[in-house]
């Protein structure tokens, strides 16, 4: 393993951001190249914990000559977000200077235009330089995994339909509880990678065999524990072995049997009024139509001071908020349903 640094000049004098990049050199020219990054949303650490243990495994494999494809790992992709502390809390999701989500507004370029990402960086903000540099590294790989987490959540992934069902091996290897099949039509990191992978020549490809761009949601933000991280690292190792990026003849993946649900089938349960949230259902629960999901106390102490939030249709609760106060229109849950719920959905990601 060798470690280099991505160095990004700051936007003000005296500041420079340094991002360690770990390289494992493959022994096979034909094996898939891999790019793995974690904590692009700087306050989402399950992926950082995962890659810490994965790198331990990869160093062992390197000593045995079992690294077949080049593997690049960026364990903590966003030092700019990690350094943003506001009133004692890390603000890792949005750039405070521009209010832009760190995982949106990635440039959409074709694979042939990859090197344009690093051209003319003068005048770019540090955040934009960071985004362009990360995307440039990712586009040098075949398999790209962006490790995130949700708020309170089961383990699931956003996978562009262009990579499905080939990517069901990843869902199996990580024992995911759900897969959200996306259209890839936004500007998240994974979608920018997918955009380029689908545009390798003249025509946009509907399927991209042998390639993958995925956002993995490694449960909730507080789900950072040694055994969990080690199990996830083992799962990712199994995926790398199944794809031939590392050699491990013992790996046999079972078929993925969990739900694979189009984004149109994800019910975003929102608060109809502001109030204190009392959940009746947890992540991982299956619900029927009209089941009571949550009580919102809207006028504490009043005789009719609460409202019930009920399931519009049957489904599987994939995520819920960790907040216990919700504003009007605030997100409470994501429920994966067996039928379309939101035909008016705009393309791309579910949240801002
Ligand atoms: Zn995230």
């Amino acid at each position: 393993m060798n470690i280099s640094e991505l160095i990004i000049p700051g936007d003000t004098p005296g500041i420079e951001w340094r991002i360690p990049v770990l390289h494992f050199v493959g022994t096979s020219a034909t094996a898939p190249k891999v790019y793995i990054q974690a904590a692009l949303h700087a306050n989402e650490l399950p992926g950082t914990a995962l890659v810490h243990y994965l790198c331990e495994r990869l160093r062992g494999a390197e000593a045995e000559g079992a690294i077949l494809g080049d593997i690049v790992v960026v364990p903590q992709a966003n030092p700019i977000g990690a350094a943003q502390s506001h009133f004692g809390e890390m603000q890792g999701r949005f750039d405070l200077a521009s209010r832009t989500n760190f995982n949106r507004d990635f440039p959409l370029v074709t694979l042939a235009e990859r090197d344009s990402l690093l051209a003319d960086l003068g005048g770019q903000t540090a955040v934009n330089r960071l985004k362009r540099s990360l995307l440039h590294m990712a586009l040098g790989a075949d398999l790209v995994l962006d490790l995130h987490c949700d708020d309170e959540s089961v383990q699931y992934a956003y996978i562009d339909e262009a990579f499905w069902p080939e990517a069901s091996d990843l869902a199996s290897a990580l024992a995911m509880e759900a897969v959200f099949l996306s259209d890839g039509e936004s500007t998240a990191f994974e979608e920018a990678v997918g955009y380029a992978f689908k545009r390798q020549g003249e025509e946009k490809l509907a399927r991209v065999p042998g390639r993958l761009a995925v956002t993995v949601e490694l449960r909730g933000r507080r789900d950072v524990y040694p055994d969990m991280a080690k199990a996830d690292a083992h799962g990712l190792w199994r995926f790398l072995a199944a794809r031939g990026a590392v050699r491990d003849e013992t790996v046999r993946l079972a078929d993925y049997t969990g739900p694979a649900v189009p984004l149109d089938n994800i019910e975003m349960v929102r608060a109809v009024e502001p109030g204190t949230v009392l959940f009746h259902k947890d992540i991982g629960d299956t619900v029927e139509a009209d089941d009571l999901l949550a009580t919102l106390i809207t006028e504490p102490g009043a005789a009719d001071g609460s409202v019930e939030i009920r399931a519009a249709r049957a489904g599987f609760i994939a995520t819920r908020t960790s907040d216990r106060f919700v504003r009007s229109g605030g997100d409470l849950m994501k429920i994966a349903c067996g039928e379309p719920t939101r035909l008016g959905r705009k393309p791309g990601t579910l949240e801002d």
Side-chain angles (χ1 to χ4, degrees):
M1 180 183 83
N2 52 67
I3 303 179
S4 61
E5 277 188 325
L6 176 62
I7 298 176
I8 307 275
D11 292 331
T12 50
I15 301 287
E16 185 177 79
W17 305 101
R18 307 177 79 95
I19 300 112
V21 180
L22 285 51
H23 300 255
F24 296 87
V25 179
T27 56
S28 164
T30 56
K33 294 184 170 66
V34 181
Y35 175 83
I36 303 169
Q37 76 177 18
L40 175 61
H41 285 144
N43 55 346
E44 299 178 3
L45 282 313
T48 300
L50 181 162
V51 298
H52 178 69
Y53 292 111
L54 178 66
C55 285
E56 189 176 292
R57 185 75 174 261
L58 294 175
R59 285 194 301 275
E62 193 171 45
E64 297 163 5
I67 304 283
L68 303 180
D70 287 348
I71 301 174
V72 175
V73 183
V74 183
Q76 231 158 355
N78 184 3
I80 301 173
Q84 293 184 154
S85 184
H86 221 188
F87 304 112
E89 199 170 310
M90 193 210 288
Q91 301 297 320
R93 187 174 180 85
F94 292 90
D95 171 30
L96 289 182
S98 64
R99 301 187 183 185
T100 305
N101 188 320
F102 284 115
N103 193 23
R104 301 288 185 275
D105 281 358
F106 277 85
L108 300 178
V109 299
T110 67
L111 207 50
E113 294 166 336
R114 177 188 173 208
D115 286 339
S116 72
L117 291 166
L118 299 185
D120 302 325
L121 287 179
Q124 296 280 357
T125 63
V127 170
N128 285 341
R129 286 176 191 243
L130 175 66
K131 288 177 177 174
R132 286 170 169 269
S133 300
L134 295 174
L135 183 58
H136 185 267
M137 283 193 284
L139 293 186
D142 304 296
L143 308 174
V144 175
L145 297 107
D146 193 18
L147 305 180
H148 288 249
C149 66
D150 209 297
D151 196 350
E152 292 182 0
S153 175
V154 302
Q155 194 192 119
Y156 70 102
Y158 291 94
I159 302 181
D160 189 320
E161 296 192 40
F163 307 110
W164 192 261
E166 193 182 11
S168 62
D169 56 354
L170 177 68
S172 166
L174 282 169
M176 287 181 194
E177 290 181 70
V179 169
F180 291 3
L181 296 174
S182 63
D183 46 35
E185 295 296 320
S186 177
T187 56
F189 174 81
E190 158 238 328
E191 292 172 305
V193 176
Y195 182 97
F197 283 178
K198 287 184 277 187
R199 290 166 179 83
Q200 300 180 36
E202 292 293 301
E203 287 178 23
K204 179 183 168 187
L205 303 171
R207 292 272 179 270
V208 195
R211 299 227 185 209
L212 177 63
V214 61
T215 302
V216 182
E217 302 283 355
L218 292 163
R219 310 181 192 82
R221 264 200 296 280
R222 291 177 183 276
D223 292 325
V224 185
Y225 296 101
D227 289 350
M228 216 174 241
K230 287 175 187 172
D232 289 342
H234 180 61
L236 200 43
W237 166 269
R238 283 158 48 81
F239 167 73
L240 296 177
R243 287 293 180 105
V246 298
R247 186 172 51 242
D248 183 347
E249 277 99 13
T250 68
V251 170
R252 295 280 180 279
L253 295 182
D255 287 343
Y256 172 69
T257 55
V261 180
L263 288 192
D264 284 338
N265 293 26
I266 307 299
E267 179 94 38
M268 297 290 283
V269 180
R270 295 207 161 91
V272 289
E273 292 182 53
T276 299
V277 185
L278 285 66
F279 281 119
H280 297 272
K281 297 289 183 184
D282 204 348
I283 55 171
D285 286 349
T286 300
V287 295
E288 298 299 325
D290 207 38
D291 277 359
L292 182 59
L293 301 175
T295 298
L296 300 184
I297 300 177
T298 53
E299 291 181 67
D304 55 355
S306 67
V307 296
E308 293 181 337
I309 304 285
R310 291 185 175 273
R313 46 183 62 77
F316 171 75
I317 300 174
T319 80
R320 72 178 193 184
T321 181
S322 62
D323 291 338
R324 295 298 179 258
F325 182 82
V326 67
R327 297 164 68 102
S328 185
D331 294 336
L332 292 170
M333 288 177 164
K334 295 188 196 88
I335 302 183
C337 302
E339 58 186 353
T341 70
R342 303 181 318 127
L343 291 172
R345 183 180 67 83
K346 67 179 181 187
T349 46
L350 292 169
E351 292 156 304
D352 293 329

